[in-house]
Amino acid sequence: MVAQQQERAAVLVAFVAAGLMVCCTGCSGSGAAAEAVGKGPGTVETLRRAVSELELAGSAKASTSMEMATGGTRVTIRGQGVYDFRKQTGRLKVVLPQDPAGAAEHRPITELLAPGALFMKNRGAGVPADKWVRVATAGLTDGNLVTGGATDPYAAAELLRGARSVTYVGRTEVAGIPVRHYRGTADLGAAARGASAGQRPALTAAAKGFATAEVPFDAYLDDQGRLRKVRHRFSFVNGQRKGTVDVASTLLLYDFGSPAVVRLPKASDIYAGKIAE
Protein backbone atom coordinates (compact mmCIF):
# COMPACT_ATOMS: atom_id res chain seq x y z
CA MET A 1 0.00 0.00 0.00
CA VAL A 2 1.33 3.42 -0.94
CA ALA A 3 1.64 5.12 2.43
CA GLN A 4 0.98 8.66 1.25
CA GLN A 5 -2.41 7.71 -0.16
CA GLN A 6 -4.15 7.85 3.20
CA GLU A 7 -7.65 7.31 1.86
CA ARG A 8 -6.63 4.14 0.06
CA ALA A 9 -5.02 2.83 3.20
CA ALA A 10 -8.18 3.61 5.13
CA VAL A 11 -10.43 1.41 3.05
CA LEU A 12 -8.14 -1.51 2.47
CA VAL A 13 -9.52 -2.66 5.80
CA ALA A 14 -10.57 -6.03 4.48
CA PHE A 15 -7.12 -6.78 3.18
CA VAL A 16 -5.30 -5.30 6.15
CA ALA A 17 -7.43 -7.28 8.59
CA ALA A 18 -6.62 -10.47 6.70
CA GLY A 19 -2.91 -9.66 6.85
CA LEU A 20 -2.73 -9.16 3.08
CA MET A 21 -1.69 -5.79 1.67
CA VAL A 22 -2.64 -5.39 -1.97
CA CYS A 23 -1.34 -2.70 -4.26
CA CYS A 24 -2.77 -2.43 -7.77
CA THR A 25 -0.12 -1.45 -10.28
CA GLY A 26 0.10 -1.32 -14.02
CA CYS A 27 -2.42 -0.28 -16.58
CA SER A 28 -3.26 -2.20 -19.69
CA GLY A 29 -5.27 0.56 -21.35
CA SER A 30 -8.86 -0.35 -22.01
CA GLY A 31 -9.16 0.45 -25.68
CA ALA A 32 -12.42 0.02 -27.53
CA ALA A 33 -14.49 -2.96 -26.49
CA ALA A 34 -15.21 -5.36 -29.31
CA GLU A 35 -18.89 -5.73 -30.12
CA ALA A 36 -19.85 -9.14 -28.80
CA VAL A 37 -21.68 -11.71 -30.84
CA GLY A 38 -23.09 -14.10 -28.27
CA LYS A 39 -25.00 -17.30 -28.70
CA GLY A 40 -28.44 -17.83 -27.24
CA PRO A 41 -31.36 -15.62 -26.18
CA GLY A 42 -30.52 -11.96 -25.79
CA THR A 43 -26.84 -12.28 -24.88
CA VAL A 44 -25.01 -8.93 -24.95
CA GLU A 45 -27.93 -6.54 -25.19
CA THR A 46 -29.81 -8.44 -22.48
CA LEU A 47 -26.86 -8.04 -20.14
CA ARG A 48 -26.46 -4.37 -20.95
CA ARG A 49 -30.11 -3.79 -20.03
CA ALA A 50 -29.68 -5.43 -16.62
CA VAL A 51 -29.08 -2.09 -14.87
CA SER A 52 -32.31 -0.64 -16.26
CA GLU A 53 -34.26 -3.66 -15.07
CA LEU A 54 -32.80 -3.27 -11.57
CA GLU A 55 -33.82 0.39 -11.53
CA LEU A 56 -37.36 -0.65 -12.46
CA ALA A 57 -37.32 -3.16 -9.59
CA GLY A 58 -36.30 -0.31 -7.28
CA SER A 59 -34.48 -2.12 -4.49
CA ALA A 60 -33.40 -5.53 -3.25
CA LYS A 61 -31.67 -7.39 -0.50
CA ALA A 62 -28.06 -8.24 -1.28
CA SER A 63 -25.50 -10.80 -0.19
CA THR A 64 -21.86 -10.40 -1.14
CA SER A 65 -18.85 -12.65 -1.02
CA MET A 66 -15.29 -11.70 -1.85
CA GLU A 67 -12.75 -14.49 -2.07
CA MET A 68 -9.07 -13.63 -2.30
CA ALA A 69 -6.09 -15.89 -2.85
CA THR A 70 -2.42 -14.98 -2.67
CA GLY A 71 0.66 -16.97 -1.79
CA GLY A 72 -1.35 -20.10 -1.05
CA THR A 73 -3.61 -18.27 1.44
CA ARG A 74 -7.34 -17.93 0.77
CA VAL A 75 -9.72 -15.69 2.69
CA THR A 76 -13.41 -14.88 2.22
CA ILE A 77 -15.13 -11.63 3.22
CA ARG A 78 -18.93 -11.71 3.39
CA GLY A 79 -21.54 -8.97 3.38
CA GLN A 80 -25.29 -8.67 3.87
CA GLY A 81 -27.64 -5.75 3.39
CA VAL A 82 -29.98 -3.80 1.09
CA TYR A 83 -29.59 -1.61 -1.97
CA ASP A 84 -31.67 1.10 -3.67
CA PHE A 85 -30.92 1.00 -7.41
CA ARG A 86 -32.74 4.24 -8.17
CA LYS A 87 -30.76 6.27 -5.65
CA GLN A 88 -27.60 4.14 -6.03
CA THR A 89 -27.30 3.86 -2.26
CA GLY A 90 -26.91 0.80 -0.08
CA ARG A 91 -26.06 -0.50 3.35
CA LEU A 92 -23.95 -3.60 3.99
CA LYS A 93 -22.62 -5.29 7.10
CA VAL A 94 -19.27 -6.76 6.12
CA VAL A 95 -17.79 -9.59 8.17
CA LEU A 96 -14.03 -10.06 8.03
CA PRO A 97 -12.38 -13.47 8.39
CA GLN A 98 -10.11 -14.55 11.21
CA ASP A 99 -6.50 -13.51 11.06
CA PRO A 100 -4.18 -16.13 9.58
CA ALA A 101 -2.72 -16.55 13.07
CA GLY A 102 -6.15 -17.65 14.34
CA ALA A 103 -7.15 -14.49 16.21
CA ALA A 104 -10.79 -13.93 17.01
CA GLU A 105 -13.09 -12.53 14.34
CA HIS A 106 -13.09 -8.79 13.82
CA ARG A 107 -16.14 -6.70 14.57
CA PRO A 108 -18.43 -6.39 11.53
CA ILE A 109 -17.92 -3.22 9.53
CA THR A 110 -20.99 -1.24 8.48
CA GLU A 111 -20.59 0.18 4.99
CA LEU A 112 -22.80 2.78 3.33
CA LEU A 113 -22.52 2.95 -0.45
CA ALA A 114 -23.33 6.10 -2.41
CA PRO A 115 -22.37 7.57 -5.79
CA GLY A 116 -18.72 8.56 -5.50
CA ALA A 117 -18.30 7.64 -1.84
CA LEU A 118 -17.89 4.78 0.60
CA PHE A 119 -18.62 5.30 4.33
CA MET A 120 -17.41 2.81 6.94
CA LYS A 121 -18.12 2.39 10.63
CA ASN A 122 -16.16 0.19 13.05
CA ARG A 123 -13.14 0.88 10.89
CA GLY A 124 -10.83 0.45 13.89
CA ALA A 125 -7.18 1.58 13.76
CA GLY A 126 -7.78 4.61 15.96
CA VAL A 127 -11.14 5.70 14.55
CA PRO A 128 -13.67 6.49 17.34
CA ALA A 129 -16.49 3.96 17.56
CA ASP A 130 -19.16 6.57 16.84
CA LYS A 131 -17.44 8.02 13.75
CA TRP A 132 -17.54 7.16 10.06
CA VAL A 133 -14.64 7.03 7.62
CA ARG A 134 -15.42 8.52 4.21
CA VAL A 135 -13.53 7.58 1.08
CA ALA A 136 -13.89 9.05 -2.41
CA THR A 137 -14.16 5.98 -4.65
CA ALA A 138 -12.83 7.79 -7.72
CA GLY A 139 -9.53 8.16 -5.85
CA LEU A 140 -9.09 4.38 -5.56
CA THR A 141 -7.17 2.58 -8.28
CA ASP A 142 -9.79 -0.18 -8.30
CA GLY A 143 -12.77 2.20 -8.10
CA ASN A 144 -13.91 0.34 -4.97
CA LEU A 145 -14.73 -2.79 -6.96
CA VAL A 146 -12.58 -4.72 -4.48
CA THR A 147 -11.15 -2.39 -1.84
CA GLY A 148 -14.12 -2.25 0.53
CA GLY A 149 -14.42 -6.03 0.70
CA ALA A 150 -17.68 -5.93 -1.30
CA THR A 151 -18.43 -4.73 -4.82
CA ASP A 152 -21.09 -2.01 -4.96
CA PRO A 153 -24.18 -3.79 -6.41
CA TYR A 154 -24.86 -1.00 -8.89
CA ALA A 155 -21.25 -0.99 -10.07
CA ALA A 156 -21.34 -4.79 -10.40
CA ALA A 157 -24.34 -4.46 -12.72
CA GLU A 158 -22.82 -1.53 -14.61
CA LEU A 159 -19.78 -3.64 -15.44
CA LEU A 160 -22.09 -5.66 -17.67
CA ARG A 161 -22.46 -2.59 -19.91
CA GLY A 162 -18.96 -3.50 -21.08
CA ALA A 163 -19.91 -7.11 -21.79
CA ARG A 164 -18.29 -8.81 -24.75
CA SER A 165 -17.44 -12.34 -25.91
CA VAL A 166 -20.63 -13.49 -24.23
CA THR A 167 -21.93 -17.05 -24.35
CA TYR A 168 -25.37 -18.19 -23.26
CA VAL A 169 -24.71 -21.21 -21.04
CA GLY A 170 -28.31 -22.29 -20.45
CA ARG A 171 -31.16 -22.41 -17.94
CA THR A 172 -30.53 -23.09 -14.26
CA GLU A 173 -31.74 -21.89 -10.83
CA VAL A 174 -30.44 -19.42 -8.26
CA ALA A 175 -31.99 -19.80 -4.79
CA GLY A 176 -34.92 -21.66 -6.37
CA ILE A 177 -35.55 -18.96 -9.04
CA PRO A 178 -35.30 -19.97 -12.73
CA VAL A 179 -32.56 -17.96 -14.42
CA ARG A 180 -30.55 -17.72 -17.62
CA HIS A 181 -26.80 -18.15 -17.21
CA TYR A 182 -24.40 -16.04 -19.29
CA ARG A 183 -20.61 -16.20 -19.32
CA GLY A 184 -18.19 -13.71 -20.83
CA THR A 185 -15.79 -10.87 -20.20
CA ALA A 186 -16.45 -7.21 -19.44
CA ASP A 187 -14.22 -4.42 -20.69
CA LEU A 188 -13.72 -1.87 -17.91
CA GLY A 189 -13.16 1.00 -20.31
CA ALA A 190 -16.36 0.29 -22.22
CA ALA A 191 -18.28 -0.14 -18.96
CA ALA A 192 -17.00 3.22 -17.70
CA ARG A 193 -18.00 5.01 -20.89
CA GLY A 194 -21.51 3.59 -20.70
CA ALA A 195 -21.93 4.01 -16.95
CA SER A 196 -24.24 6.39 -15.11
CA ALA A 197 -22.85 9.73 -13.95
CA GLY A 198 -22.66 8.46 -10.36
CA GLN A 199 -20.55 5.41 -11.18
CA ARG A 200 -18.50 6.65 -14.12
CA PRO A 201 -15.60 8.27 -12.17
CA ALA A 202 -14.97 5.14 -10.08
CA LEU A 203 -15.16 2.78 -13.07
CA THR A 204 -12.88 5.09 -15.04
CA ALA A 205 -10.34 4.89 -12.22
CA ALA A 206 -10.61 1.08 -12.26
CA ALA A 207 -10.09 0.99 -16.03
CA LYS A 208 -6.84 2.91 -15.58
CA GLY A 209 -5.61 1.18 -12.45
CA PHE A 210 -6.22 -2.53 -13.00
CA ALA A 211 -3.51 -4.73 -14.45
CA THR A 212 -5.96 -5.76 -17.18
CA ALA A 213 -9.14 -4.13 -18.43
CA GLU A 214 -10.82 -7.50 -19.08
CA VAL A 215 -12.94 -8.91 -16.24
CA PRO A 216 -14.36 -12.44 -16.68
CA PHE A 217 -17.88 -12.89 -15.31
CA ASP A 218 -20.80 -15.26 -14.87
CA ALA A 219 -24.18 -13.54 -14.76
CA TYR A 220 -27.60 -14.99 -13.97
CA LEU A 221 -30.78 -13.13 -15.03
CA ASP A 222 -34.36 -14.05 -14.18
CA ASP A 223 -37.21 -14.05 -16.69
CA GLN A 224 -37.85 -10.34 -16.00
CA GLY A 225 -34.27 -9.54 -17.02
CA ARG A 226 -33.24 -8.70 -13.45
CA LEU A 227 -29.77 -9.62 -12.30
CA ARG A 228 -30.02 -12.31 -9.63
CA LYS A 229 -26.38 -13.27 -9.33
CA VAL A 230 -23.09 -12.15 -10.82
CA ARG A 231 -19.55 -13.32 -10.18
CA HIS A 232 -16.61 -11.24 -11.36
CA ARG A 233 -13.00 -12.37 -11.30
CA PHE A 234 -10.39 -9.67 -10.80
CA SER A 235 -6.63 -10.08 -10.94
CA PHE A 236 -4.10 -7.65 -9.45
CA VAL A 237 -0.38 -7.29 -9.66
CA ASN A 238 0.78 -7.45 -6.04
CA GLY A 239 3.04 -4.50 -5.31
CA GLN A 240 4.66 -6.07 -2.24
CA ARG A 241 5.06 -9.65 -3.39
CA LYS A 242 5.91 -10.97 -6.81
CA GLY A 243 2.92 -12.56 -8.49
CA THR A 244 -0.76 -11.80 -8.67
CA VAL A 245 -3.67 -11.61 -6.28
CA ASP A 246 -6.83 -13.28 -7.57
CA VAL A 247 -10.15 -11.97 -6.29
CA ALA A 248 -13.59 -13.42 -7.00
CA SER A 249 -16.48 -11.11 -6.09
CA THR A 250 -19.99 -12.58 -6.00
CA LEU A 251 -23.25 -10.62 -5.65
CA LEU A 252 -26.61 -12.26 -4.94
CA LEU A 253 -29.83 -10.18 -5.22
CA TYR A 254 -33.21 -11.26 -3.86
CA ASP A 255 -36.46 -9.97 -2.30
CA PHE A 256 -36.84 -7.18 -4.86
CA GLY A 257 -38.83 -4.24 -3.54
CA SER A 258 -37.59 -4.64 0.04
CA PRO A 259 -37.22 -1.31 1.91
CA ALA A 260 -33.72 0.10 1.47
CA VAL A 261 -33.56 3.24 3.59
CA VAL A 262 -29.98 4.55 3.69
CA ARG A 263 -29.15 7.66 5.72
CA LEU A 264 -25.71 9.00 4.94
CA PRO A 265 -23.65 10.42 7.85
CA LYS A 266 -23.67 14.11 8.64
CA ALA A 267 -20.38 15.98 8.25
CA SER A 268 -20.00 16.11 12.03
CA ASP A 269 -20.15 12.29 12.20
CA ILE A 270 -17.24 11.78 9.80
CA TYR A 271 -13.79 11.20 11.26
CA ALA A 272 -11.26 13.77 10.06
CA GLY A 273 -8.19 12.52 11.91
CA LYS A 274 -5.29 10.39 10.80
CA ILE A 275 -5.98 6.72 10.14
CA ALA A 276 -3.30 4.22 11.04
CA GLU A 277 -2.36 1.56 8.50
Side-chain angles (χ1 to χ4, degrees):
M1 189 55 50
V2 181
Q4 64 267 32
Q5 294 181 325
Q6 182 174 318
E7 283 192 331
R8 282 186 60 202
V11 294
L12 280 172
V13 55
F15 296 163
V16 173
L20 300 170
M21 298 296 288
V22 177
C23 182
C24 309
T25 60
C27 173
S28 65
S30 58
E35 183 66 26
V37 180
K39 300 177 181 179
T43 58
V44 173
E45 289 308 317
T46 298
L47 290 171
R48 291 176 179 172
R49 287 197 301 269
V51 173
S52 298
E53 296 300 331
L54 291 176
E55 289 174 345
L56 288 174
S59 61
K61 292 183 180 179
S63 293
T64 66
S65 173
M66 188 163 287
E67 202 174 324
M68 181 172 61
T70 181
T73 300
R74 185 177 296 275
V75 296
T76 301
I77 303 162
R78 301 189 186 279
Q80 194 85 23
V82 293
Y83 199 89
D84 185 322
F85 291 98
R86 293 171 183 167
K87 296 179 179 178
Q88 297 183 31
T89 58
R91 182 180 67 253
L92 295 174
K93 181 173 286 188
V94 176
V95 179
L96 306 179
Q98 289 185 336
D99 290 326
E105 288 190 1
H106 301 267
R107 293 178 61 192
I109 296 174
T110 300
E111 295 189 356
L112 301 182
L113 308 168
L118 167 67
F119 300 87
M120 296 186 300
K121 202 169 191 179
N122 292 338
R123 165 62 179 88
V127 180
D130 61 341
K131 294 292 185 180
W132 294 85
V133 172
R134 183 189 186 279
V135 179
T137 53
L140 301 168
T141 55
D142 73 315
N144 194 37
L145 293 177
V146 173
T147 290
T151 302
D152 183 306
Y154 200 96
E158 291 243 86
L159 275 177
L160 298 179
R161 294 189 190 273
R164 66 185 199 178
S165 304
V166 178
T167 299
Y168 173 64
V169 179
R171 300 280 296 184
T172 184
E173 290 188 355
V174 170
I177 303 298
V179 294
R180 288 166 289 163
H181 178 191
Y182 298 89
R183 179 173 294 148
T185 59
D187 182 275
L188 280 166
R193 290 189 293 274
S196 63
Q199 298 290 336
R200 189 177 301 127
L203 289 178
T204 298
K208 295 177 180 178
F210 273 53
T212 174
E214 293 188 352
V215 179
F217 68 83
D218 283 86
Y220 303 80
L221 276 63
D222 64 19
D223 291 336
Q224 287 74 48
R226 299 175 301 192
L227 187 65
R228 289 282 180 165
K229 179 181 177 181
V230 63
R231 180 177 175 88
H232 294 104
R233 290 173 292 282
F234 305 102
S235 185
F236 297 98
V237 175
N238 191 328
Q240 295 196 350
R241 303 173 186 170
K242 293 183 179 180
T244 60
V245 178
D246 296 318
V247 179
S249 178
T250 302
L251 168 69
L252 182 67
L253 297 172
Y254 56 100
D255 287 356
F256 287 100
S258 296
V261 178
V262 179
R263 295 184 178 87
L264 299 181
K266 297 181 293 185
S268 58
D269 293 329
I270 297 173
Y271 182 62
K274 184 176 180 180
I275 301 169
E277 287 194 46

